[in-house]
Amino acid sequence: MSKLTFGAGIWHFATYVDRYATDGYGPAKSLIEMIDLAGKVRDLSVVDINAPWSADVSVDEVEVALKRNNLSVIGITPEIYNREFSKGAFTNPDAGIRRRANEVCNDAANLVRRFGASYVKLWPGQDGWDYPFQVDHKQLWRHSIEGIGELASQNPDLKFVIEYKPREPRVHMSYGSMARTLLGIEAMGVPNVGVLLDFGHALFGGESPADSAQLAIDHGRLFGMDVNDNLRAWDDDMVAGTVHPIELFEFFYTLRKNNWEGVWQLDQFPFREDCVEAADMAIDFLKHIDASLDRLDWDALAAAQNRQDAMGAQKIARQALFGF
């Protein structure tokens, strides 16, 4: 049995819609059906759940479904990125909508307490701007900082994580990089806000995920992480390890080097693939990465890095991961 804890966003088991297949890539699924699908994945033990969900599903029913599938909740992700917040959640020009975003997030905080989860995950996807001259950048950034800072101060017993992303749905998102997110968190001046590092978002933003992880760890702010993959031009949310296995290996090498412990969480969107198979495939590769870290010649790698010996370091990493 793996010593690791594997998780997934419950949306991994949803039915997806895009601007072409507006009727979706399959029949709609209820939250309970998604939880039951998650329960079919080998080694999956925790899920991140969006809220609010459909009013015809009670919290008690969700708890029963989780228990039936031997699952627990790692986080609650408030939906502050839908049509209601199309001009922003924390950065909306309407103060009433900003207050509404605060209410939705506080409701999510109460669910975190109810489920005994680890954090409220904030993905303010509509916070940002699209066109030159559209916003007052100083005011927008102030709203970004104050909105989350206020929320964290209202709930000092909980952790809040910001999942940054360069763009989509906004052309420029307020929290668009690791460095910018860390700057914002430091300006908040609260201890209970950190970063959820999405491997694919770092790739998409032109970052090295390993470097971004190290930066967050050095600032004591890496509270969580998601893994997936993409072709760097977009947030494709493909199966982890299918495109950038060596960079995924370096990412987890960095986490282990720093003794970072947390859930190895999937954030994948299998539009056309079987969702259970996609999760199993990703977790199998993550387990292989963990075993490869056990095989890695750490001393030889450190010596190669001290020389900045790129080919030597590659040979050591490849031997551990691929066996040649």
Side-chain angles (χ1 to χ4, degrees):
M1 294 293 292
S2 173
K3 63 182 181 295
L4 300 171
T5 301
F6 296 104
I10 201 64
W11 49 90
H12 182 286
F13 307 97
T15 298
Y16 307 107
V17 175
D18 62 26
R19 61 185 179 138
Y20 300 103
T22 56
D23 55 344
Y25 284 85
K29 302 187 188 85
S30 70
L31 175 57
I32 302 302
E33 289 173 320
M34 288 187 273
I35 292 171
D36 286 337
L37 282 169
K40 295 181 179 181
V41 178
R42 300 189 310 271
D43 299 307
L44 192 71
S45 56
V46 301
V47 289
D48 181 335
I49 298 179
N50 309 88
W53 54 76
S54 175
D56 61 354
V57 177
S58 70
V59 177
D60 288 342
E61 288 174 309
V62 173
E63 287 185 325
V64 169
L66 290 166
K67 185 176 181 179
R68 178 173 67 244
N69 289 284
N70 297 312
L71 295 170
S72 60
V73 179
I74 184 174
I76 298 293
T77 299
E79 292 193 344
I80 52 172
Y81 41 79
N82 53 23
R83 180 166 53 182
E84 181 179 8
F85 303 105
S86 61
K87 286 191 175 182
F90 302 113
T91 64
N92 198 289
D94 185 330
I97 299 296
R98 296 199 299 273
R99 296 314 308 167
R100 172 64 181 151
N102 178 273
E103 292 170 3
V104 171
C105 292
N106 269 297
D107 289 343
N110 288 330
L111 285 173
V112 166
R113 295 184 181 97
R114 171 75 179 263
F115 289 118
S118 299
Y119 50 68
V120 177
K121 187 179 79 177
L122 303 173
W123 184 66
Q126 300 286 6
D127 282 4
W129 70 97
D130 304 308
Y131 290 92
F133 290 101
Q134 184 177 5
V135 300
D136 179 322
H137 292 288
K138 183 174 183 177
Q139 181 185 65
L140 191 86
W141 188 229
R142 179 171 58 83
H143 283 324
S144 298
I145 293 168
E146 290 178 351
I148 296 179
E150 177 188 25
L151 186 62
S153 297
Q154 291 168 339
N155 300 275
D157 58 315
L158 299 181
K159 288 184 177 180
F160 293 81
V161 296
I162 301 172
E163 181 180 2
Y164 70 89
K165 182 179 177 180
R167 59 190 180 278
E168 194 215 9
R170 295 313 288 254
V171 175
H172 298 276
M173 287 176 59
S174 292
Y175 293 101
S177 68
M178 175 60 81
R180 187 175 177 89
T181 304
L182 289 173
L183 282 171
I185 291 171
E186 292 305 310
M188 292 173 203
V190 291
N192 56 327
V193 179
V195 178
L196 185 137
L197 199 171
D198 183 298
F199 181 85
H201 292 180
L203 289 176
F204 181 30
E207 300 176 359
S208 157
D211 175 63
S212 297
Q214 187 64 63
L215 189 62
I217 289 169
D218 288 345
H219 286 265
R221 298 291 185 172
L222 187 61
F223 287 7
M225 57 90 165
D226 284 343
V227 291
N228 43 46
D229 217 328
N230 62 50
L231 297 173
R232 268 198 158 92
W234 197 249
D235 183 32
D236 302 303
D237 283 323
M238 298 163 72
V239 172
T242 54
V243 184
H244 295 97
I246 197 73
E247 285 182 89
L248 191 64
F249 188 38
E250 185 191 23
F251 175 71
F252 283 106
Y253 158 79
T254 302
L255 296 183
R256 184 181 291 195
K257 182 179 180 181
N258 288 275
N259 298 311
W260 187 89
E261 295 183 353
V263 172
W264 291 29
Q265 179 98 343
L266 304 179
D267 184 1
Q268 303 178 156
F269 279 62
F271 277 77
R272 302 165 185 83
E273 294 71 41
D274 180 273
C275 59
V276 173
E277 182 184 12
D280 280 333
M281 183 176 179
I283 290 173
D284 285 345
F285 189 69
L286 295 180
K287 290 165 70 175
H288 175 72
I289 281 182
D290 186 55
S292 299
L293 290 171
D294 291 337
R295 291 190 294 269
L296 184 68
D297 189 335
W298 289 72
D299 291 338
L301 180 58
Q305 290 175 336
N306 286 337
R307 300 189 304 271
Q308 293 192 17
D309 179 359
M311 296 300 99
Q314 282 288 308
K315 288 177 182 177
I316 294 164
R318 285 184 177 187
Q319 181 62 42
L321 185 60
F322 301 123
F324 64 88

